[in-house]
Structure formats: structure tokens, C-alpha cells
Amino acid sequence: MLLEPLRTAEDGTIPGPLLTELTALHASNRDFYALSGDFPDASDIRPEQVAAALSVELANPDVEILLARDDDSNSNSNSHSHSHSHSHPDYRRLVGAAITLARHPDPADPDPWIGLLLVDAGAQRQGYGRQLAALVEERFRQAGRTAVRLAALDNNPGALAFWTSLGYGVVEHRRDRQLGRPCTVLRKTLRTPRRAARVAVLDPEGAVFLFKYHNEEVGVHWALPGGGLEEDETPHEGALRELREETGWTDVEPGPFLCSWDHDFTRAGIPVRQSDHIYVARGPRREPVGGLLAAARAEEGILAWRWWTRQELAEAERAVWPPELPRLLAEFEASEKSEE
């Protein structure tokens, strides 16, 4: 999917062919507009009505209208909203549109908004809505925004289900500023993706080595040695480097892959969604190397470390990352024994 801002003609109007596409997109969403009441007759949405509605949006310098086009120029659809011939090699069909607001009129609201997200009715249930939402979120993220809001009409439960499935949480219930319609305001923290790798180092008795951290978002927790990957670094390479940098153990190599785990936290003031690749290694029971490494660990927020028996892990009162570590290690060792 390709996302591009709507560009008007020199006189500020929407070019005719584009207006035809946009009218067809709006008309295909008759059920939504029957609920919203944005047009006099949801079954007869006309180009001049679409042009008038969009001109109001374009008059606001904080508003951006984004057009979503299928990046497969050879794709076909049963959608009735195509006005251009697919035989043209450069034609990419309009599958959706989004209207965003960089700043809400309420000065107490610091977040940008998604005012509207439309997907052509003939292209729905194919993942386009999720793609479009992700592209809009990434656009805000690249602009340095840390969260986004939107309002779902209370008479449109499908919209509420869609947005909550994407990680949006309910903030409040109120009436919209435009028409006084009851709606639910939702918000989502925009997290920066981060690739990472960790190592579960097991001693001869099966105890696992963990570091203790305190994070501003998730609080105190215990985690395996490891961290973010460098550019072009494989997870295995990153796991080895991080293990050596944090423990000083140069004789331990990451072994079999244990699992992957996605989780959210805040790092250096930035909300991140981290994807950990976790490996298993065997090593002697010992302390991490001191000296300069001890200072480096302190800079990384490491408060303490210890070896945990499987029983201690199962009874841990503080959070352990990943939460399923006791079960994962038990299954790993069981599979090892079965292969002997």
C-alpha cells in the first residue's frame, strides 16, 4: 500500500478524475455514512457533496488528507469504485483514505488525531484497514509524535472493535464537536519497533542467570542478559555481543533458539515495542566480571543479578521477562532429554 497526501489543482479544487475516485470510495461505504449522517442520503453520495466536505477539511492547515493506493498495479478487485482502466501501467487503484489532524482544537489535548479512515467496501476484510492505520501511525511516529487519538461513534460497534484490536484503549465517552454525536475517544501510544536478543544462561544445575532492572513504565523486573541489535546484526550475533558486554563471559556461546517475545516498555524516555530473540547457553555458575563492566551495567540501569533455580522462578514475586520463562526452560530441557 502506498500513502500519499491529496494534492489539489492550482485553483484549490480536487481534480476531476480524483474526485470521481473519492466519490466512489465514499459511496461504497454507504452503511457507515448511514450511521454517521455526514451526507443527506447515504445511498446517493454525489461528487459535489464529497468536494464540499473535503474542502472544509483542506481549509484547516492542521488537517492532512491521505490517499491509500494498492501497491500491486496488476491487482484486481470486485470493487465497484474503480473509475480508471487497469490497463494503464501506472494506475494504482484507490483502496482507502485517511484524514488526520495534527493538533486538536482543545489545547489540553497534546495528541494528533485520526479523523477518518475509509477502506473501499470491495476491498475490505483483506487487511487494507490495518495497513492504512499502521502507515498513518508510522507517519505520526516519524514526525516525533508519541500517541494518537480518534473517536468512534457509539452506534458503530464494528469500528470500536477494529480500533481496540489495533491496541487503542478507551479514554473517555463524549459527544463529538461537529454534530454532537455520542462517541468513544480512544488513544494509542506510538511505540518505536526495536529488535533485540537475549540469552538464558543455565548453570550445571539448571539455574538461570538474570539481571534486575527498574523501568519507568513497567517497574522492577528481572530479565535475561541481552539488548538491542545493531544495524545489520543478526539476532545470534547480537546475543553473543550483548552477553559478553554485560557479563564479561567470553567462553559462553548462545546455543539453541528458545523463543521470540514481543513486549512494550519505555527506554530512554521513548516508548518501544521490543521483539526479543532468546537463545539458551550453558555455563558455570559464577559472578559477572567487575571493573569497567560493572560501571557499564549501572549505566544500563542494571540494579543487581543472581542465579535463579527453577523453583525460585516459579515463585518469583517480581516480574520476570519473558513471563513464560519457567515453562519454556522446562520444555526445552524435556526436548533435550528426548533427543538423547
Side-chain angles (χ1 to χ4, degrees):
M1 177 180 286
L2 304 175
L3 201 61
E4 60 184 15
L6 184 154
R7 305 196 184 282
T8 59
E10 290 185 6
D11 61 359
T13 61
I14 300 173
L18 177 56
L19 181 58
T20 299
E21 288 185 288
L22 287 166
T23 302
L25 172 64
H26 284 71
S28 77
N29 282 273
R30 187 199 68 80
D31 291 347
F32 167 72
Y33 285 113
L35 294 173
S36 72
D38 288 307
F39 295 100
D41 183 353
S43 299
D44 185 23
I45 298 176
R46 301 180 179 184
E48 59 270 22
Q49 295 172 332
V50 174
L54 295 181
S55 67
V56 172
E57 302 288 357
L58 290 167
N60 185 338
D62 287 333
V63 166
E64 190 169 39
I65 300 175
L66 302 170
L67 308 179
R69 296 192 178 277
D70 196 332
D71 56 5
D72 179 4
S73 58
N74 295 318
S75 66
N76 290 304
S77 169
N78 60 0
S79 169
H80 56 270
S81 68
H82 307 164
S83 58
H84 288 27
S85 169
H86 282 233
S87 61
H88 193 291
D90 295 326
Y91 173 73
R92 298 182 187 276
R93 67 189 177 110
L94 185 70
V95 293
I99 299 178
T100 64
L101 181 66
R103 294 171 186 80
H104 194 272
D106 183 352
D109 181 352
D111 299 326
W113 280 64
I114 298 175
L116 178 71
L117 188 142
L118 279 182
V119 172
D120 186 282
Q124 290 175 8
R125 302 191 182 280
Q126 298 177 35
Y128 285 116
R130 289 177 175 271
Q131 287 183 58
L132 178 51
L135 288 172
V136 171
E137 291 168 3
E138 182 60 25
R139 202 173 176 85
F140 282 137
R141 190 182 293 111
Q142 292 293 333
R145 313 305 291 269
T146 57
V148 60
R149 298 191 191 207
L150 56 89
L153 296 176
D154 285 353
N155 64 354
N156 188 7
L160 183 63
F162 171 76
W163 291 110
T164 53
S165 75
L166 297 185
Y168 286 75
V170 174
V171 175
E172 62 176 321
H173 298 275
R174 69 185 191 201
R175 293 184 177 272
D176 77 332
R177 298 170 66 97
Q178 184 181 4
L179 298 174
R181 298 165 294 191
C183 60
T184 299
V185 177
L186 299 104
R187 184 178 189 268
K188 180 179 181 179
T189 299
L190 298 178
R191 297 185 178 275
T192 299
R194 186 172 189 251
R195 297 167 58 242
R198 299 189 180 277
V199 185
V201 182
L202 305 179
D203 77 359
E205 302 300 319
V208 63
F209 182 82
L210 298 177
F211 283 125
K212 181 181 181 181
Y213 294 86
H214 180 271
N215 181 264
E216 60 186 279
E217 180 179 349
V218 299
V220 175
H221 61 281
W222 291 84
L224 301 165
L229 302 183
E230 296 178 352
E231 190 174 357
D232 298 329
E233 189 174 45
T234 68
H236 192 273
E237 292 168 344
L240 176 60
R241 175 185 53 76
E242 286 283 341
L243 180 63
R244 291 182 175 179
E245 288 177 356
E246 292 185 346
T247 66
W249 301 336
T250 58
D251 56 344
V252 178
E253 293 267 346
F257 176 75
L258 180 66
C259 71
S260 60
W261 180 51
D262 293 343
H263 57 110
D264 297 339
F265 68 105
T266 298
R267 182 179 183 275
I270 299 174
V272 300
R273 168 151 291 171
Q274 183 160 297
S275 180
D276 284 334
H277 280 66
I278 301 175
Y279 300 88
V280 179
R282 301 282 185 178
R285 188 185 184 101
R286 56 188 164 180
E287 295 291 301
V289 174
L292 291 175
L293 280 182
R297 285 191 291 270
E299 289 179 6
E300 285 294 314
I302 296 174
L303 306 176
W305 53 83
R306 58 172 282 200
W307 292 88
W308 292 69
T309 67
R310 215 55 56 79
Q311 184 68 25
E312 289 170 333
L313 268 187
E315 299 173 352
E317 295 183 358
R318 295 288 189 179
V320 174
W321 288 6
E324 297 295 311
L325 186 59
R327 178 185 62 79
L328 291 166
L329 292 177
E331 291 176 354
F332 169 77
E333 293 187 328
S335 66
E336 270 195 331
K337 291 179 181 178
S338 67
E339 293 173 1
E340 291 177 356

